[in-house]
């Protein structure tokens, strides 16, 4: 199975600050069709995961432009600018290029 | 609006079967893919499997010998059965829709916590 390594495991950020989360894959996530199926989720306390970014850099409906995704191949990054209280929770990357789909270990974002 | 709701027992005995239902409103399960994902105590997440718009299934090889995902299109529901459970199957189980455009799970249920214990 593809292993996704997320760093850091936890992140302390001040309100209004910027956060950056890395997701590195054990193999390239470029599909044979040329697409890259790497997605980002946020699980807020007591809620189910919500989709933030799909296919590396596309924001899902209703997601503010403070969230941005980038990367290619095996290295991907989620950036959150102007952190707000509702951004707190655990962030996950998920790859769907290879079967079975696999998740990163999660990054917990907390307020400093 | 697409809504999903999991239901099922919160406690299952070791060696028994776990059966969960996902009820979908606002969208037909005869379109798209419909999956199950679980989150273990701590942060680890695992994809369990899915059933397609046509009824075909795909399972995580790590669970393939123990799981079955089926559906009832007349009720717009799909189901997870996990056999021979152990304490390691204790987790919160989520059902989710895989979107055509997003190509990933874009709508999720609230989750149901299942504990395996005697």
């Amino acid at each position: 199975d593809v292993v996704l390594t997320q760093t850091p495991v936890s992140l302390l950020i001040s309100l209004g600050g910027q956060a950056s989360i890395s997701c590195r894959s054990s193999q390239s996530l470029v599909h044979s069709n040329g697409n890259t199926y790497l997605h980002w989720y946020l699980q807020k306390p007591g809620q189910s995961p919500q989709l933030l970014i799909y296919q590396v850099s596309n924001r899902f409906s209703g997601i503010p432009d403070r969230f941005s995704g980038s990367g290619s191949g095996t290295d991907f990054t989620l950036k959150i600018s102007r952190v707000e209280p509702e951004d707190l929770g655990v962030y996950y990357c998920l790859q769907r290029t290879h079967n079975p789909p696999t998740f990163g270990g999660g990054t917990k974002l907390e307020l400093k | 609006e697409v809504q999903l709701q999991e239901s099922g027992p919160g406690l299952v005995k070791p060696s028994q079967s776990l059966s969960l239902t996902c009820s979908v409103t606002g969208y037909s399960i005869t379109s798209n893919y419909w999956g199950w994902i679980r989150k273990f105590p701590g942060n680890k997440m695992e994809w369990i499997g899915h059933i397609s718009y046509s009824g075909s299934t795909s399972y995580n090889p790590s669970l393939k010998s123990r799981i079955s995902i089926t559906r009832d299109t007349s009720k717009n529901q799909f189901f997870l059965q996990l056999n021979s459970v152990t304490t390691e199957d204790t987790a919160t189980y989520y059902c989710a829709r895989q979107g055509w455009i997003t190509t990933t799970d874009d709508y999720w249920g609230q989750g149901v916590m299942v504990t395996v214990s005697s």
Side-chain angles (χ1 to χ4, degrees):
Chain A
D1 296 0
V2 172
V3 176
L4 297 182
T5 302
Q6 279 185 243
T7 54
V9 172
S10 64
L11 207 45
L12 281 174
I13 300 293
S14 301
L15 284 177
Q18 177 165 302
S20 182
I21 300 170
S22 169
C23 178
R24 289 190 169 175
S25 175
S26 60
Q27 55 186 280
S28 175
L29 297 184
V30 181
H31 193 275
S32 56
N33 65 12
N35 292 331
T36 300
Y37 298 105
L38 187 283
H39 317 287
W40 289 97
Y41 290 84
L42 165 61
Q43 185 168 30
K44 299 180 182 181
Q47 297 185 19
S48 54
Q50 63 177 104
L51 177 62
L52 299 174
I53 302 284
Y54 64 94
Q55 291 186 44
V56 181
S57 59
N58 300 283
R59 277 186 299 277
F60 186 50
S61 175
I63 302 302
D65 60 6
R66 301 185 295 101
F67 292 88
S68 63
S70 62
S72 62
T74 60
D75 288 347
F76 303 90
T77 301
L78 175 70
K79 289 187 177 175
I80 311 152
S81 60
R82 306 183 302 279
V83 167
E84 298 185 3
E86 59 262 32
D87 300 337
L88 305 184
V90 181
Y91 290 79
Y92 294 95
C93 52
L94 163 66
Q95 70 79 23
R96 280 184 160 276
T97 297
H98 303 284
N99 280 320
T102 51
F103 288 85
T107 295
K108 187 172 185 179
L109 179 61
E110 298 176 291
L111 281 181
K112 191 182 292 183
Chain B
E1 183 189 0
V2 183
Q3 293 188 333
L4 299 90
Q5 179 67 59
E6 305 88 349
S7 58
L11 181 64
V12 182
K13 288 182 166 40
S15 79
Q16 292 188 343
S17 293
L18 178 165
S19 295
L20 299 176
T21 297
C22 183
S23 300
V24 180
T25 56
Y27 205 89
S28 172
I29 65 168
T30 58
S31 183
N32 292 60
Y33 290 79
W34 303 87
W36 291 95
I37 299 107
R38 62 182 179 177
K39 181 178 180 181
F40 298 101
N43 281 344
K44 184 183 174 185
M45 299 272 285
E46 181 178 57
W47 180 81
I48 296 171
H50 71 223
I51 188 164
S52 77
Y53 52 90
S54 66
S56 62
T57 55
S58 179
Y59 301 140
N60 192 319
S62 69
L63 297 167
K64 193 170 185 177
S65 63
R66 296 197 291 134
I67 64 171
S68 176
I69 298 177
T70 57
R71 66 178 185 170
D72 184 338
T73 57
S74 67
K75 294 182 179 179
N76 218 38
Q77 295 175 327
F78 63 105
F79 312 100
L80 170 68
Q81 180 169 320
L82 178 62
N83 300 320
S84 305
V85 299
T86 71
T87 55
E88 295 189 353
D89 294 311
T90 293
T92 298
Y93 288 75
Y94 297 95
C95 60
R97 183 195 83 165
Q98 184 176 344
W100 288 122
I101 295 175
T102 64
T103 67
T104 189
D105 310 280
D106 52 12
Y107 288 90
W108 294 60
Q110 284 302 300
V112 57
M113 187 170 176
V114 178
T115 300
V116 179
S117 174
S118 54

